[in-house]
mmCIF file of all heavy atoms in Angstrom:
data_model
loop_
_atom_site.group_PDB
_atom_site.id
_atom_site.type_symbol
_atom_site.label_atom_id
_atom_site.label_comp_id
_atom_site.label_asym_id
_atom_site.label_seq_id
_atom_site.Cartn_x
_atom_site.Cartn_y
_atom_site.Cartn_z
ATOM 1 N N HIS P 4 236.986 -46.063 74.820
ATOM 2 C CA HIS P 4 236.359 -47.105 75.677
ATOM 3 C C HIS P 4 237.314 -48.302 75.907
ATOM 4 O O HIS P 4 237.028 -49.108 76.694
ATOM 5 C CB HIS P 4 235.085 -47.669 74.980
ATOM 6 C CG HIS P 4 234.027 -46.548 75.019
ATOM 7 N ND1 HIS P 4 233.208 -46.253 76.112
ATOM 8 C CD2 HIS P 4 233.495 -45.680 74.074
ATOM 9 C CE1 HIS P 4 232.349 -45.268 75.890
ATOM 10 N NE2 HIS P 4 232.501 -44.968 74.546
ATOM 11 N N PHE P 5 238.263 -48.402 75.083
ATOM 12 C CA PHE P 5 239.425 -49.485 75.370
ATOM 13 C C PHE P 5 240.300 -49.108 76.335
ATOM 14 O O PHE P 5 240.547 -47.999 76.747
ATOM 15 C CB PHE P 5 240.043 -49.711 73.978
ATOM 16 C CG PHE P 5 239.241 -50.403 72.911
ATOM 17 C CD1 PHE P 5 238.452 -49.646 72.090
ATOM 18 C CD2 PHE P 5 239.206 -51.847 72.797
ATOM 19 C CE1 PHE P 5 237.614 -50.336 71.186
ATOM 20 C CE2 PHE P 5 238.459 -52.425 71.698
ATOM 21 C CZ PHE P 5 237.594 -51.592 70.952
ATOM 22 N N GLY P 6 241.039 -50.122 76.776
ATOM 23 C CA GLY P 6 242.202 -49.863 77.670
ATOM 24 C C GLY P 6 243.382 -49.398 77.055
ATOM 25 O O GLY P 6 243.387 -49.185 75.692
ATOM 26 N N ASP P 7 244.462 -49.051 77.735
ATOM 27 C CA ASP P 7 245.631 -48.463 77.041
ATOM 28 C C ASP P 7 246.177 -49.495 76.182
ATOM 29 O O ASP P 7 245.941 -50.882 76.289
ATOM 30 C CB ASP P 7 246.769 -48.207 78.178
ATOM 31 C CG ASP P 7 246.211 -47.120 79.095
ATOM 32 O OD1 ASP P 7 245.379 -46.259 78.677
ATOM 33 O OD2 ASP P 7 246.757 -46.995 80.273
ATOM 34 N N GLY P 8 246.937 -49.108 75.093
ATOM 35 C CA GLY P 8 247.479 -49.961 74.165
ATOM 36 C C GLY P 8 246.852 -49.763 72.788
ATOM 37 O O GLY P 8 245.864 -48.932 72.577
ATOM 38 N N PRO P 9 247.340 -50.648 71.930
ATOM 39 C CA PRO P 9 246.835 -50.514 70.447
ATOM 40 C C PRO P 9 245.301 -51.036 70.328
ATOM 41 O O PRO P 9 244.932 -51.839 71.047
ATOM 42 C CB PRO P 9 247.806 -51.327 69.615
ATOM 43 C CG PRO P 9 248.240 -52.370 70.637
ATOM 44 C CD PRO P 9 248.335 -51.684 71.937
ATOM 45 N N VAL P 10 244.689 -50.350 69.396
ATOM 46 C CA VAL P 10 243.240 -50.748 69.051
ATOM 47 C C VAL P 10 243.283 -50.907 67.438
ATOM 48 O O VAL P 10 243.606 -49.967 66.743
ATOM 49 C CB VAL P 10 242.223 -49.576 69.329
ATOM 50 C CG1 VAL P 10 240.890 -50.036 68.870
ATOM 51 C CG2 VAL P 10 242.202 -49.327 70.812
ATOM 52 N N VAL P 11 243.101 -52.155 67.125
ATOM 53 C CA VAL P 11 243.360 -52.544 65.713
ATOM 54 C C VAL P 11 241.968 -52.964 65.083
ATOM 55 O O VAL P 11 241.203 -53.787 65.625
ATOM 56 C CB VAL P 11 244.324 -53.817 65.673
ATOM 57 C CG1 VAL P 11 244.566 -54.201 64.155
ATOM 58 C CG2 VAL P 11 245.531 -53.457 66.353
ATOM 59 N N ALA P 12 241.696 -52.431 63.938
ATOM 60 C CA ALA P 12 240.459 -52.735 63.162
ATOM 61 C C ALA P 12 240.910 -53.544 61.952
ATOM 62 O O ALA P 12 241.691 -53.310 61.101
ATOM 63 C CB ALA P 12 239.836 -51.385 62.638
ATOM 64 N N GLY P 13 240.119 -54.689 61.968
ATOM 65 C CA GLY P 13 240.337 -55.608 60.771
ATOM 66 C C GLY P 13 239.707 -55.056 59.429
ATOM 67 O O GLY P 13 238.944 -54.083 59.590
ATOM 68 N N PRO P 14 239.912 -55.626 58.372
ATOM 69 C CA PRO P 14 239.261 -55.271 57.088
ATOM 70 C C PRO P 14 237.779 -55.375 57.189
ATOM 71 O O PRO P 14 237.278 -56.416 57.812
ATOM 72 C CB PRO P 14 239.933 -56.122 56.016
ATOM 73 C CG PRO P 14 240.312 -57.351 56.764
ATOM 74 C CD PRO P 14 240.756 -56.902 58.147
ATOM 75 N N VAL P 15 237.009 -54.624 56.277
ATOM 76 C CA VAL P 15 235.543 -54.806 56.224
ATOM 77 C C VAL P 15 235.417 -55.983 55.260
ATOM 78 O O VAL P 15 235.936 -56.023 54.188
ATOM 79 C CB VAL P 15 234.942 -53.537 55.634
ATOM 80 C CG1 VAL P 15 233.536 -53.746 55.323
ATOM 81 C CG2 VAL P 15 235.214 -52.338 56.651
ATOM 82 N N VAL P 16 234.498 -56.925 55.604
ATOM 83 C CA VAL P 16 234.111 -58.060 54.875
ATOM 84 C C VAL P 16 232.681 -57.927 54.427
ATOM 85 O O VAL P 16 231.979 -57.151 54.906
ATOM 86 C CB VAL P 16 234.483 -59.392 55.617
ATOM 87 C CG1 VAL P 16 235.932 -59.508 55.796
ATOM 88 C CG2 VAL P 16 233.699 -59.430 56.939
ATOM 89 N N ASP P 17 232.275 -58.822 53.560
ATOM 90 C CA ASP P 17 230.937 -58.683 53.061
ATOM 91 C C ASP P 17 229.811 -59.068 53.861
ATOM 92 O O ASP P 17 228.760 -58.514 53.818
ATOM 93 C CB ASP P 17 230.877 -59.559 51.659
ATOM 94 C CG ASP P 17 231.789 -59.022 50.556
ATOM 95 O OD1 ASP P 17 231.905 -57.907 50.589
ATOM 96 O OD2 ASP P 17 232.120 -59.847 49.674
ATOM 97 N N HIS P 18 230.040 -59.951 54.936
ATOM 98 C CA HIS P 18 228.962 -60.490 55.782
ATOM 99 C C HIS P 18 229.597 -61.046 57.046
ATOM 100 O O HIS P 18 230.779 -61.323 57.173
ATOM 101 C CB HIS P 18 228.263 -61.576 54.985
ATOM 102 C CG HIS P 18 226.882 -61.969 55.585
ATOM 103 N ND1 HIS P 18 226.777 -62.909 56.550
ATOM 104 C CD2 HIS P 18 225.681 -61.527 55.262
ATOM 105 C CE1 HIS P 18 225.539 -62.988 56.898
ATOM 106 N NE2 HIS P 18 224.768 -62.236 56.144
ATOM 107 N N LEU P 19 228.727 -61.235 58.020
ATOM 108 C CA LEU P 19 229.163 -61.682 59.356
ATOM 109 C C LEU P 19 229.833 -63.073 59.063
ATOM 110 O O LEU P 19 230.730 -63.582 59.797
ATOM 111 C CB LEU P 19 227.958 -61.798 60.298
ATOM 112 C CG LEU P 19 228.187 -62.263 61.683
ATOM 113 C CD1 LEU P 19 229.178 -61.269 62.345
ATOM 114 C CD2 LEU P 19 227.006 -62.487 62.455
ATOM 115 N N PHE P 20 229.277 -63.890 58.200
ATOM 116 C CA PHE P 20 229.816 -65.256 57.827
ATOM 117 C C PHE P 20 231.342 -65.089 57.471
ATOM 118 O O PHE P 20 232.060 -66.087 57.685
ATOM 119 C CB PHE P 20 229.027 -65.881 56.712
ATOM 120 C CG PHE P 20 227.716 -66.308 57.083
ATOM 121 C CD1 PHE P 20 226.805 -66.456 56.094
ATOM 122 C CD2 PHE P 20 227.272 -66.304 58.348
ATOM 123 C CE1 PHE P 20 225.514 -66.861 56.391
ATOM 124 C CE2 PHE P 20 225.952 -66.692 58.658
ATOM 125 C CZ PHE P 20 225.073 -67.055 57.612
ATOM 126 N N ASP P 21 231.716 -64.011 56.898
ATOM 127 C CA ASP P 21 233.191 -63.829 56.456
ATOM 128 C C ASP P 21 233.997 -63.116 57.541
ATOM 129 O O ASP P 21 235.231 -62.779 57.210
ATOM 130 C CB ASP P 21 233.176 -62.943 55.198
ATOM 131 C CG ASP P 21 232.220 -63.496 54.144
ATOM 132 O OD1 ASP P 21 232.273 -64.753 53.879
ATOM 133 O OD2 ASP P 21 231.616 -62.797 53.463
ATOM 134 N N ALA P 22 233.344 -62.793 58.626
ATOM 135 C CA ALA P 22 234.104 -62.052 59.726
ATOM 136 C C ALA P 22 235.352 -62.739 60.190
ATOM 137 O O ALA P 22 236.188 -62.022 60.840
ATOM 138 C CB ALA P 22 233.122 -61.634 60.829
ATOM 139 N N THR P 23 235.481 -63.962 59.988
ATOM 140 C CA THR P 23 236.678 -64.669 60.464
ATOM 141 C C THR P 23 237.976 -64.062 59.869
ATOM 142 O O THR P 23 238.899 -63.922 60.569
ATOM 143 C CB THR P 23 236.673 -66.173 60.152
ATOM 144 O OG1 THR P 23 235.564 -66.690 60.832
ATOM 145 C CG2 THR P 23 237.876 -66.848 60.676
ATOM 146 N N ALA P 24 237.988 -63.698 58.590
ATOM 147 C CA ALA P 24 239.114 -63.077 57.994
ATOM 148 C C ALA P 24 239.435 -61.715 58.581
ATOM 149 O O ALA P 24 240.602 -61.422 58.969
ATOM 150 C CB ALA P 24 238.837 -62.872 56.518
ATOM 151 N N SER P 25 238.386 -60.924 59.034
ATOM 152 C CA SER P 25 238.565 -59.653 59.625
ATOM 153 C C SER P 25 239.227 -59.952 61.125
ATOM 154 O O SER P 25 240.034 -59.171 61.517
ATOM 155 C CB SER P 25 237.411 -58.847 59.715
ATOM 156 O OG SER P 25 237.580 -57.555 60.220
ATOM 157 N N THR P 26 238.650 -60.949 61.792
ATOM 158 C CA THR P 26 239.107 -61.293 63.054
ATOM 159 C C THR P 26 240.510 -61.637 63.076
ATOM 160 O O THR P 26 241.291 -61.256 63.892
ATOM 161 C CB THR P 26 238.228 -62.407 63.626
ATOM 162 O OG1 THR P 26 236.865 -62.120 63.638
ATOM 163 C CG2 THR P 26 238.617 -62.756 65.034
ATOM 164 N N ARG P 27 240.911 -62.550 62.151
ATOM 165 C CA ARG P 27 242.298 -63.018 62.043
ATOM 166 C C ARG P 27 243.292 -61.886 61.892
ATOM 167 O O ARG P 27 244.349 -61.826 62.579
ATOM 168 C CB ARG P 27 242.354 -63.992 60.917
ATOM 169 C CG ARG P 27 243.733 -64.592 60.778
ATOM 170 C CD ARG P 27 243.865 -65.706 59.748
ATOM 171 N NE ARG P 27 243.303 -65.206 58.406
ATOM 172 C CZ ARG P 27 242.264 -65.631 57.795
ATOM 173 N NH1 ARG P 27 241.659 -66.751 58.247
ATOM 174 N NH2 ARG P 27 241.920 -65.281 56.628
#
């Protein structure tokens, strides 16, 4: 479903509140 190029998955975090680390 993504366009061409890399698709990168961040690490799994404990909660949506901690998702900034996965986003970064």
Side-chain angles (χ1 to χ4, degrees):
H4 291 284
F5 289 85
D7 295 336
V10 176
V11 182
V15 175
V16 294
D17 293 335
H18 195 274
L19 184 64
F20 291 160
D21 307 315
T23 301
S25 185
T26 303
R27 181 174 56 238

